[in-house]
Amino acid sequence: HDGSNSFITDGGTGDLKIRSNKIRMEAPDSQNMVIVTEDAGVQAFYNGTERLAVTNTGIDVTGTATMDGLTVSSTGATTATIEAGGGGDAVLDLKASEASGGESIIRFSDSVSGVGFITYAQNDGGSDFMRFGTASTERMRIDSAGRVGIGTSAPDTQLTLFKASTNADVNYAKMRMDSWGASTGKLKSIVWDDAGSAVAGIGAEYDGGKTNIHFHSQYNGGFKGTSDKTMSIMGNGNVG
């Protein structure tokens, strides 16, 4: 003791060993500080409340864990779970500095192929945006106005589809329904809507022998049915 502090000092070589099946460190008011129990684990306390436990299954933290990085690794399948009880929200909050134009990133990768990613860009002084990518390449973007771009990073409508110019036939979008022949005489349509009411549409109909295209326009009168068309292009080329 030096008048202010007490010391346990081992000045020689080798280890300082304390042997017991349970070691307890307490504050002067008898509150627990650290408890080490043989074959049970280690408990660390703050102000008498347990905050950290090391057991045979891993680590249990009560409260907030602040760290420079976190790696969850296993030789088999690995699961990270965020669970909230009592009807609360389970939140994964990624924060990047807006001032530096940082991005919050969720990355999907392995040691062989390119990465997939979801990023949210904090664009200092500009507009934020969200990007989705596969094979290390951006595929879709949602800008701060909610406009969606597929194949482009600069959507200028609610949905913009882009593919670089190519000297080939290209399908930009496809609507698929299996067993088309089982829906004879039924329309499969793209519909325009006004405040919840369908007002116009373009539909395809299989009549049992060929596929016909029908145009429907009746503003404020509702989307017309299969038998009520404004114009039709039949599968044999007739227009009416």
Side-chain angles (χ1 to χ4, degrees), residues 14-34:
D15 301 326
L16 173 63
K17 298 182 179 180
I18 302 174
R19 293 183 175 178
S20 173
N21 61 0
K22 191 167 189 176
I23 299 173
R24 183 188 300 267
M25 296 178 59
E26 296 183 349
D29 61 359
S30 299
Q31 286 189 345
N32 289 321
M33 297 174 66
V34 177

Side-chain angles (χ1 to χ4, degrees), residues 159-218:
L159 175 61
T160 302
L161 304 177
F162 175 81
K163 184 174 179 61
S165 179
T166 177
N167 185 25
D169 295 326
V170 176
N171 292 327
Y172 279 89
K174 179 186 292 185
M175 293 187 295
R176 175 176 173 175
M177 186 191 75
D178 293 335
S179 300
W180 179 263
S183 299
T184 302
K186 303 298 182 181
L187 277 173
K188 307 300 180 287
S189 303
I190 301 173
V191 177
W192 284 261
D193 184 278
D194 178 21
S197 297
V199 296
I202 301 175
E205 170 230 358
Y206 179 67
D207 65 7
K210 59 186 181 304
T211 300
N212 311 307
I213 302 296
H214 303 294
F215 297 80
H216 308 258
S217 179
Q218 180 88 356

Side-chain angles (χ1 to χ4, degrees), residues 12-158:
T13 60
D15 301 326
L16 173 63
K17 298 182 179 180
I18 302 174
R19 293 183 175 178
S20 173
N21 61 0
K22 191 167 189 176
I23 299 173
R24 183 188 300 267
M25 296 178 59
E26 296 183 349
D29 61 359
S30 299
Q31 286 189 345
N32 289 321
M33 297 174 66
V34 177
I35 299 175
V36 182
T37 306
E38 182 183 13
D39 298 330
V42 179
Q43 299 163 270
F45 299 78
Y46 175 81
N47 197 26
T49 301
E50 183 179 324
R51 296 299 187 186
L52 175 67
V54 181
T55 69
N56 64 331
T57 59
I59 299 175
D60 185 10
V61 178
T62 302
T64 301
T66 302
M67 59 197 75
D68 295 329
L70 174 64
T71 300
V72 180
S73 179
S74 173
T75 56
T78 303
T79 301
T81 302
I82 301 175
E83 182 176 352
D89 298 330
V91 178
L92 175 63
D93 192 0
L94 305 180
K95 295 184 178 180
S97 174
E98 181 179 358
S100 63
E103 293 189 355
S104 299
I105 304 173
I106 299 175
R107 183 178 289 116
F108 311 89
S109 63
D110 57 33
S111 59
V112 179
S113 59
V115 301
F117 58 84
I118 301 172
T119 72
Y120 191 87
Q122 320 287 341
N123 192 358
D124 183 26
S127 299
D128 296 354
F129 56 86
M130 180 171 283
R131 302 188 299 140
F132 300 81
T134 61
S136 303
T137 303
E138 180 179 334
R139 306 298 185 184
M140 184 175 76
R141 179 176 296 211
I142 304 174
D143 69 12
S144 59
R147 294 173 296 206
V148 179
I150 299 177
T152 176
S153 61
D156 54 4
T157 60
Q158 287 303 106

Side-chain angles (χ1 to χ4, degrees), residues 213-216 229-233 239-240:
I213 302 296
H214 303 294
F215 297 80
H216 308 258
K229 303 105 177 176
T230 303
M231 184 178 76
S232 296
I233 302 177
V239 178

